[in-house]
Amino acid sequence: MPKQLITYEHYQESEWNTFLPDEADPVKGAQDIIQTAYESYGDSLVYACSFGAESMVLIDLISKVKPNAKLVFLDTDLHFQETYDLIDRVKEKYPSLQIEMKRPELTLEEQSEQHGSALWRRNPDQCCYIRKIKPLEDVLNGATAWISGLRREQSPSRANTQFFNKDNRFKSVKVCPLIYWTHDDVWNYIKSNDLPYNPLHDQNYPSIGCIPCTNPVEQGGDERAGRWANFKKTECGLHTT
Ligand code: SF4
C-alpha cells in the first residue's frame, strides 16, 4: 500500500488501487484505507458527511485514527429535524471532531427571489448545485482529498467505485473506504457498537437527504428509491463528473 501523498494531478489508478483489503473483513479493510488516507493527506483530508447510516460507521472508524478530523455537513437549510438532532448527538459522543455546517451563499428566501419558489420541484439539479455542489466546491478548494461513504452495492452508478478515485468534479482525490460493505455490514456495525443513528431509518427512510426530495421506501425496495422520486435524477451531483 503506497503511503506517499498522491494528488489529483498525479493520480494513477493502477498504482493506488492494487491494494485490495480482504472483502471478507470489510471493517479491517476500511480501517486500513482510512489510516492510509490520513497518513497521506493529513489535515488536507476532508470528510463530507451526510450523517446517514454509512456516516455513522465512518465517523466511528475515523475517530479512532484521527480524533480531531475535519467533517463538513452540507447544510441546505432543508434537512429533517431528526438529522440536526443526530448531529448534536454526534458532537456529544465525539467532542474532538471538528464539524463544520457549510451553508449555501443564498438563503432559501434569496433563492426563491432569484429562481422562483420551490426550485427543487422544477429544477432539482440547479437547486442541488446552489445548495450542495457549490458549497462543497468552496470547502474543497485547497483540499487534496475528501472522504465519502459510497458503497458499491448502493446503485449501478456506484458499482465501479474504487478506494481512491480521481474526482474530476472537484479536482481532488475521493477516498471511499466502504466500497465492499453491504447494507447488513453497515447495520451490524452500528448495532454492535451502539452508535447513534437517524431514527428516520426505522421509519422506512433508508437514504435521507433534504425534506422535499426524500420519501419513505416500501419494505425491501431499492435503498435510493425515495430520493428525487418524481425525477430521473438519482444523485445530487456530488458523485457525478
Ligand atoms: Fe434542493 Fe432537493 Fe437537492 Fe436538497 S436534494 S438541494 S432540496 S434539489
Side-chain angles (χ1 to χ4, degrees):
M1 186 70 164
K3 300 287 185 189
Q4 78 278 17
L5 182 71
I6 190 168
T7 60
Y8 172 80
E9 290 77 14
H10 298 101
Y11 176 94
Q12 295 282 345
E13 180 174 321
S14 57
E15 284 179 21
W16 267 70
N17 288 302
T18 50
F19 170 83
L20 298 179
D22 184 356
E23 293 181 42
D25 187 357
V27 175
K28 183 176 181 306
Q31 282 176 328
D32 284 349
I33 296 299
I34 290 168
Q35 180 89 35
T36 298
Y38 279 103
E39 286 175 5
S40 301
Y41 301 116
D43 291 335
S44 176
L45 183 59
V46 175
Y47 174 27
C49 182
S50 68
F51 289 89
E54 287 78 12
S55 302
M56 297 303 103
V57 171
L58 277 177
I59 286 171
D60 195 65
L61 293 175
I62 288 171
S63 71
K64 293 172 178 159
V65 172
K66 177 93 171 160
N68 64 342
K70 181 177 178 184
L71 274 63
V72 173
F73 176 65
L74 300 175
D75 184 1
T76 61
D77 295 316
L78 288 160
H79 289 283
F80 291 90
Q81 185 57 47
E82 287 87 343
T83 304
Y84 293 111
D85 293 344
L86 174 62
I87 294 171
D88 288 340
R89 290 166 65 201
V90 168
K91 285 178 178 172
E92 281 176 23
K93 183 173 172 65
Y94 306 94
S96 299
L97 291 176
Q98 305 175 63
I99 302 178
E100 178 185 358
M101 305 288 280
K102 178 67 179 173
R103 305 182 71 185
E105 286 178 8
L106 298 183
T107 65
L108 287 173
E109 292 73 24
E110 289 167 339
Q111 179 170 302
S112 291
E113 286 166 14
Q114 295 183 26
H115 302 284
S117 64
L119 181 60
W120 46 86
R121 281 196 212 128
R122 292 173 287 106
N123 192 340
D125 285 341
Q126 187 180 20
C127 186
C128 277
Y129 179 78
I130 293 169
R131 310 205 74 74
K132 288 183 164 185
I133 297 171
K134 181 65 171 60
L136 187 59
E137 275 179 3
D138 294 342
V139 167
L140 295 182
N141 184 16
T144 315
W146 64 295
I147 295 177
S148 170
L150 297 188
R151 294 185 295 108
R152 287 186 173 181
E153 71 161 22
Q154 282 174 317
S155 68
S157 64
R158 299 179 177 187
N160 296 317
T161 308
Q162 303 292 328
F163 287 122
F164 296 91
N165 303 269
K166 185 173 188 178
D167 186 347
N168 294 318
R169 181 74 192 75
F170 295 104
K171 300 287 185 286
S172 67
V173 173
K174 182 163 68 177
V175 184
C176 301
L178 302 184
I179 56 174
Y180 290 126
W181 286 53
T182 64
H183 174 271
D184 287 350
D185 290 333
V186 170
W187 282 100
N188 287 341
Y189 189 90
I190 289 173
K191 297 289 186 182
S192 61
N193 290 281
D194 196 23
L195 301 184
Y197 63 89
N198 195 321
L200 291 175
H201 288 308
D202 293 332
Q203 298 168 40
N204 295 330
Y205 287 83
S207 176
I208 302 167
C210 300
I211 295 171
C213 301
T214 305
N215 290 316
V217 171
E218 285 181 20
Q219 289 263 337
D222 184 292
E223 274 189 46
R224 292 185 61 79
R227 304 294 297 278
W228 304 283
N230 297 325
F231 293 88
K232 286 184 179 169
K233 183 176 171 70
T234 56
E235 300 275 359
C236 60
L238 300 181
H239 305 296
T240 51
T241 53

